[in-house]
Amino acid sequence: MTELAITGLAKAFGRHQVLDGLDLDVPAGSLTAILGPSGSGKTTLLRILAGFERADAGTVRIGTAIADGPGTYLPPERRRIGYVPQEGSLFPHLTVAANIAFGLSHKERRRPGRAGQHAAELLDAVGLAGFAKHYPHQLSGGQQQRVALARALAIKPEVVLLDEPFASLDAHLRASVRADVQRLLSEAGATTVLVTHDQDEALSTADRVAVLRRGRIAQCAAPQQLYSSPVDADMARFIGDANLIPGQLNGSSVQTLFGKLAVTHPDLSVATQCPATVLVRPEQVELLPGTDEMDGAVAARVTGYGYHGHDAVVTVQPEAAPPGEGPAASPLIVRTLGGDALPLGAPVMLRARGPVLAWPDQAPAS
């Protein structure tokens, strides 16, 4: 298994700085997702790793070999990297078997029966046994992506790069193809980098998720850690739904419209109260029908209801004002198990379950 290490990577197109001192380590045998909005430089990073673009500065190390760095550059064919682009990009005039064998060396393709046998083994692995003589136009979108993956694995790569490979598939097909790809990459023991703008895809697929922001990796962590412990409020907004409410932070607790809540990572340097931004995830808010007052509960009214089968997303408007704020609080998002729909305007009571994350709005006084 091969580790991938990126240090100080920079790339500009004209005056537009796309990557700016980017650092990232991808552990051997892991699947790391690069997550970011469109235009954030995800595909540029992948193309540099593949050798299709050269970095302006920094180094790319694949295992012990420097692939890109000062005075050093390995062309794509010498990097032992499998690349799966967005649309699969199969050659329309070649059969499935010929597409898979395309990445093999000329010597390997000339070995009697070897290329065909290898293609058949890979087609069986991706669930397409018997499709060797088909042409790309005879395949569905999901089948084409499986062939593209088989082609990438044909060279026995040390690293596999996936550039939003499921973006063009419908939701049901995307889930099944993604599961198949995860299994195949795990069985192959390949070190994998997946580029995506889909948060659900990144969190459900990867071992680690690296968020690209302003040309650098803003945070890289396991999906659970990224969701539960974002580095700042902007990251919290980007990863999943987030209720960001004002509060008064005091060491290990924060005073909010829900009352006093424990803080996940207490900042013991905050000895006196200071304004803070508090993260309360939608699933941390308990929604109680009715108007009966209870300790720590806030009265609110339903302003939106979306049913998703497994759960429901409810938008509510608290009637109470947060500490130190004006007459009204911002709307909140609540995630609940499914059930009967709540009509707009219905009165409810809200209660938050801690602990919560809180970021001081200003540096504590020294």
Side-chain angles (χ1 to χ4, degrees):
M1 292 186 181
T2 302
E3 179 189 14
L4 182 63
I6 304 162
T7 307
L9 207 63
K11 181 65 178 179
F13 295 99
R15 295 184 179 180
H16 179 48
Q17 191 72 41
V18 180
L19 304 178
D20 187 15
L22 183 147
D23 298 321
L24 179 65
D25 289 325
V26 181
S30 71
L31 194 162
T32 295
I34 308 295
L35 180 63
S38 297
S40 61
K42 303 184 301 296
T43 295
T44 297
L45 172 58
L46 216 63
R47 289 180 60 82
I48 290 174
L49 298 181
F52 303 150
E53 299 276 358
R54 292 200 62 174
D56 297 334
T59 60
V60 174
R61 180 170 56 81
I62 303 173
T64 59
I66 301 296
D68 200 340
T72 304
Y73 170 74
L74 281 181
E77 64 272 14
R78 293 183 55 196
R79 297 193 181 197
R80 295 202 64 81
I81 282 181
Y83 184 79
V84 181
Q86 285 189 26
E87 303 293 336
S89 297
L90 301 179
F91 298 109
H93 62 290
L94 297 180
T95 64
V96 165
N99 264 284
I100 293 174
F102 186 82
L104 300 176
S105 68
H106 182 68
K107 180 179 179 181
E108 289 173 309
R109 290 200 300 269
R110 286 179 60 86
R111 290 175 60 185
R114 178 53 190 153
Q117 180 185 347
H118 192 38
E121 291 169 352
L122 285 166
L123 281 173
D124 185 52
V126 299
L128 292 176
F131 282 75
K133 295 183 179 180
H134 284 61
Y135 284 86
H137 72 271
Q138 297 173 301
L139 306 178
S140 68
Q143 290 170 335
Q144 289 186 34
Q145 286 302 98
R146 287 184 170 93
V147 174
L149 178 64
R151 181 177 63 185
L153 294 175
I155 62 171
K156 295 185 171 66
E158 297 178 353
V159 176
V160 175
L161 306 177
L162 307 172
D163 188 3
E164 305 213 37
F166 317 115
S168 62
L169 306 180
D170 63 58
H172 175 71
L173 191 57
R174 187 159 59 240
S176 63
V177 173
R178 190 165 61 209
D180 289 340
V181 168
Q182 278 182 277
R183 174 182 56 81
L184 288 164
L185 292 171
S186 177
E187 290 173 355
T191 302
T192 304
V193 177
L194 164 68
V195 155
T196 181
H197 67 272
D198 187 322
Q199 298 170 11
D200 290 340
E201 183 170 281
L203 295 177
S204 64
T205 305
D207 303 310
R208 297 161 80 246
V209 179
V211 179
L212 186 55
R213 188 168 68 188
R214 292 188 289 276
R216 298 187 178 190
I217 300 299
Q219 185 173 3
C220 182
Q224 297 86 344
Q225 183 182 356
L226 192 67
Y227 183 78
S228 63
S229 301
V231 292
D232 53 35
D234 286 340
M235 186 67 68
R237 289 189 192 94
F238 186 67
I239 302 296
D241 293 323
N243 295 308
L244 294 169
I245 62 175
Q248 294 291 321
L249 180 62
N250 190 351
S252 61
S253 66
V254 62
Q255 188 69 32
T256 72
L257 71 111
F258 294 109
K260 183 183 289 187
L261 299 173
V263 175
T264 303
H265 303 298
D267 185 352
L268 300 180
S269 67
V270 181
T272 58
Q273 285 196 0
C274 74
T277 299
V278 183
L279 170 63
V280 182
R281 290 292 188 188
E283 60 272 15
Q284 289 183 271
V285 183
E286 186 179 6
L287 189 150
L288 306 165
T291 57
D292 294 339
E293 293 188 9
M294 59 192 73
D295 189 38
V298 175
R301 291 193 176 273
V302 174
T303 58
Y305 185 91
Y307 182 69
H308 299 279
H310 48 78
D311 65 9
V313 176
V314 188
T315 307
V316 296
Q317 176 63 58
E319 296 180 356
E325 291 292 307
S330 298
L332 299 174
I333 301 171
V334 183
R335 183 173 289 114
T336 69
L337 294 177
D340 295 334
L342 292 169
L344 299 185
V348 294
M349 299 298 289
L350 308 175
R351 189 164 53 193
R353 296 184 292 268
V356 295
L357 279 179
W359 297 279
D361 291 340
Q362 59 194 35
S366 56

